[in-house]
């Protein structure tokens, strides 16, 4: 069943309808992935490229800051392609492949890789400036250096061009230190949400799954944290994980606690107390989850009622869910599609809001910690994972949404 909806998709471990997705094929997909591993790509190219792409200076002015932009790299990180338009992701890949005469893969969308921090982890030195920016009226922008050590913002207070706000913000940041700056936020993007806001990324953690099949458990842990759960009453200190902890990179032992309560209801610590995959119990723990299991896990931890939907969720319906009452996270399970034998199984993703203009904030627990992708509705419906697509894509099969929606 194809579901046109928002999703929280956890790695190779979401379930399709009544049966759980199997993650073995997804694990193989990662092992055989041809996606470039260009973690230090910016250092491989002239500083001018970073300045033009991240800053907007000299390349189509500041157009790409206000529209979708993307850079694609070849697998060996030697060739790149860039684009600025509504089809930026696919166009950047095509430009790169025309240069490389070989497959290329998305490296950046909307300047996500331009900085070493994100909106939920602003350095302490800049917290005061970021808070003033978030509360400032009018057209505004916030700029930072790539290492996030210097930053400044521009706020006109009255209606003015966004291009002017972007330029003023970058100039103010450049005057604050010796490192070149680029636009980090425009019109409050990434700021902590208030009632009625559709962007709640600052309240929804971006965890990495710690086992191959625990994408679903990671999604549940993220949603539980959003609603205030911290596992303080269920501390399980073992050599594997402490079930009371959330960290910057993963949801701590909360993932293993969720798996334990699902698969071992009479011995819920089992999945936290066993580390090796050769252990029989851990093999049982490392399984995909079904929609009903995800719904039960969310309610068990938070008391909040969700439901599984196997029919289409339109963009307007999705926007309403993400914006109502300060926003509600959505979990989407996709099934892998493609021409290859390894394009099987499923994955779970989480949505942390929308910009209200057709873009959605999606976190993939197999991508990067503290990271959201900004994707269109069409890209949600045809999801290509940035960490390893291997020629496969994901199509929604079920969606977890609040029961009242």
């Amino acid at each position: 069943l194809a579901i046109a909806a928002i999703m929280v998709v956890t790695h190779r471990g979401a379930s399709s309808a009544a049966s759980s997705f199997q993650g073995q094929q997804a694990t193989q997909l990662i092992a055989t992935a041809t996606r470039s591993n260009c973690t230090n790509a910016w250092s491989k190219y002239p500083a001018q490229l970073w300045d033009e792409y991240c800053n907007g200076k000299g390349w189509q002015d500041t157009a790409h800051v206000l529209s979708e932009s993307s850079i694609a790299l070849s697998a060996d990180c030697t060739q790149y392609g860039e684009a600025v338009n509504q089809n930026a992701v696919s166009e950047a890949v095509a430009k790169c492949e025309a240069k490389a005469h070989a497959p290329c893969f998305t490296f950046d969308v909307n300047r996500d890789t331009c900085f070493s921090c994100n909106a939920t982890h602003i350095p302490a030195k800049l917290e005061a400036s970021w808070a003033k920016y978030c509360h400032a009226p009018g057209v505004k922008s916030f700029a930072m250096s790539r290492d996030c050590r210097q930053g400044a913002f521009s706020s006109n207070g009255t209606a003015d061009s966004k291009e002017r706000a972007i330029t003023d913000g970058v100039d103010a940041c450049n005057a604050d230190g010796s490192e070149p700056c680029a636009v980090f936020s425009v019109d409050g993007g990434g700021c902590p949400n208030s009632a009625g806001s559709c962007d709640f990324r600052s309240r929804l953690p971006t965890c990495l799954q710690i086992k191959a099949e625990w994408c679903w458990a990671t999604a549940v842990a993220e949603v539980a944290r959003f609603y205030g759960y911290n596992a303080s009453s269920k501390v399980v200190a073992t050599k594997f994980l402490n079930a009371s902890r959330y960290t910057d990179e993963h949801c701590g032992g909360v993932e293993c606690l969720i798996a334990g309560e699902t698969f071992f209801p009479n011995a819920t610590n089992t999945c936290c107390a066993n580390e090796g995959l050769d252990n029989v119990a851990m093999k049982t723990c490392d399984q995909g989850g079904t929609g009903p299991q995800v719904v039960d896990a969310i309610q068990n931890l938070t008391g909040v009622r969700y439901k599984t939907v196997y029919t289409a969720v339109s963009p307007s319906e999705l926007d309403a869910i993400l914006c109502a009452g300060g926003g509600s996270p959505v979990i989407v399970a996709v099934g892998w599609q493609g021409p290859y034998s390894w394009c099987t199984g499923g994955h779970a993703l989480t949505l942390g809001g929308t910009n209200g203009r057709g873009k959605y904030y999606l976190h993939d627990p197999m991508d990067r910690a503290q990271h959201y992708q900004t994707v269109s509705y069409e890209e949600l419906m045809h999801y290509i994972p940035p960490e390893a697509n291997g020629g496969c894509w994901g199509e929604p099969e079920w969606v977890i949404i609040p029961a009242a929606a």
Side-chain angles (χ1 to χ4, degrees):
L1 297 175
I3 297 178
I6 301 200
M7 316 170 253
V8 169
V9 179
T10 54
H11 185 61
R12 334 309 182 189
S15 72
S16 172
S19 61
S20 64
F21 284 173
Q22 297 303 308
Q24 289 80 356
Q25 297 295 341
T27 303
Q28 176 190 359
L29 189 151
I30 290 178
T32 60
T34 55
R35 181 184 185 274
S36 57
N37 205 6
C38 307
T39 54
N40 297 313
W42 288 120
S43 65
K44 299 177 183 293
Y45 297 102
Q48 181 183 1
L49 176 63
W50 184 90
D51 190 48
E52 290 180 351
Y53 178 77
C54 294
N55 196 351
K57 297 211 169 179
W59 182 42
Q60 299 187 35
D61 297 319
T62 56
H64 74 290
V65 175
L66 301 177
S67 61
E68 185 166 295
S69 57
S70 180
I71 282 185
L73 298 176
S74 58
D76 62 3
C77 311
T78 62
Q79 300 292 333
Y80 69 90
E82 76 283 312
V84 179
N85 55 49
Q86 62 180 358
N87 300 313
V89 174
S90 58
E91 185 174 314
V93 170
K95 286 183 176 180
C96 177
E97 291 180 343
K99 294 179 183 179
H101 303 290
C104 289
F105 302 90
T106 300
F107 171 68
D108 181 89
V109 178
N110 294 342
R111 310 180 323 282
D112 282 339
T113 64
C114 291
F115 306 93
S116 63
C117 61
N118 64 24
T120 61
H121 292 80
I122 297 294
K125 177 183 177 181
L126 299 181
E127 284 181 351
S129 181
W130 175 251
K132 290 180 181 178
Y133 162 74
C134 288
H135 289 91
V139 179
K140 57 189 177 181
S141 77
F142 192 94
M144 282 198 298
S145 58
R146 189 183 177 209
D147 61 9
C148 302
R149 293 182 179 179
Q150 68 189 59
F153 71 93
S154 168
S155 174
N156 295 316
T158 58
D160 197 352
S161 72
K162 290 186 179 181
E163 288 81 0
R164 175 65 181 276
I166 290 169
T167 300
D168 288 352
V170 171
D171 289 345
C173 179
N174 285 333
D176 193 45
S178 60
E179 295 297 320
C181 295
V183 180
F184 181 75
S185 170
V186 177
D187 284 351
C191 288
N193 72 302
S194 57
S197 171
C198 304
D199 180 358
F200 47 87
R201 287 174 289 179
S202 63
R203 293 193 290 137
L204 187 67
T206 50
C207 300
L208 299 181
Q209 64 188 80
I210 56 177
K211 291 296 179 184
E213 304 293 337
W214 282 1
C215 61
W216 67 277
T218 307
V220 170
E222 292 173 349
V223 173
R225 180 59 176 268
F226 176 86
Y227 289 112
Y229 178 76
N230 62 17
S232 59
S233 63
K234 298 183 179 181
V235 176
V236 182
T238 73
K239 71 173 184 176
F240 183 26
L241 286 170
N242 185 327
S244 67
R245 294 185 59 206
Y246 280 89
T247 74
D248 287 340
E249 292 189 357
H250 60 69
C251 287
V254 181
E255 292 177 39
C256 67
L257 182 64
I258 292 166
E261 292 187 337
T262 300
F263 302 124
F264 295 92
N266 296 322
T268 58
N269 294 349
T270 300
C271 296
C272 296
N274 295 278
E275 185 172 12
L277 282 178
D278 57 340
N279 182 282
V280 174
M282 182 50 71
K283 288 181 178 179
T284 302
C285 289
D286 192 20
Q287 297 184 59
T290 66
Q293 286 172 331
V294 170
V295 168
D296 287 347
I298 292 174
Q299 185 166 1
N300 289 341
L301 293 182
T302 68
V304 179
R305 295 180 62 247
Y306 269 67
K307 64 184 178 183
T308 307
V309 176
Y310 300 100
T311 56
V313 178
S314 69
S316 60
E317 291 171 326
L318 184 57
D319 288 357
I321 294 170
L322 292 172
C323 295
S328 298
V330 175
I331 297 176
V332 177
V334 296
W336 296 120
Q337 310 291 324
Y340 306 107
S341 60
W342 56 79
C343 296
T344 61
H347 194 42
L349 308 168
T350 52
L351 284 181
T354 174
N355 68 356
R357 300 186 300 277
K359 298 294 183 181
Y360 301 94
Y361 307 126
L362 178 150
H363 173 63
D364 184 335
M366 285 299 293
D367 183 13
R368 301 197 296 276
Q370 306 173 24
H371 179 253
Y372 277 98
Q373 302 171 55
T374 302
V375 300
S376 66
Y377 184 81
E378 290 71 23
E379 289 168 327
L380 280 174
M381 298 302 102
H382 189 87
Y383 178 67
I384 299 177
E387 87 284 353
N389 58 51
C392 307
W393 65 90
E395 295 181 0
E397 296 200 352
W398 45 259
V399 184
I400 304 294
I401 62 176

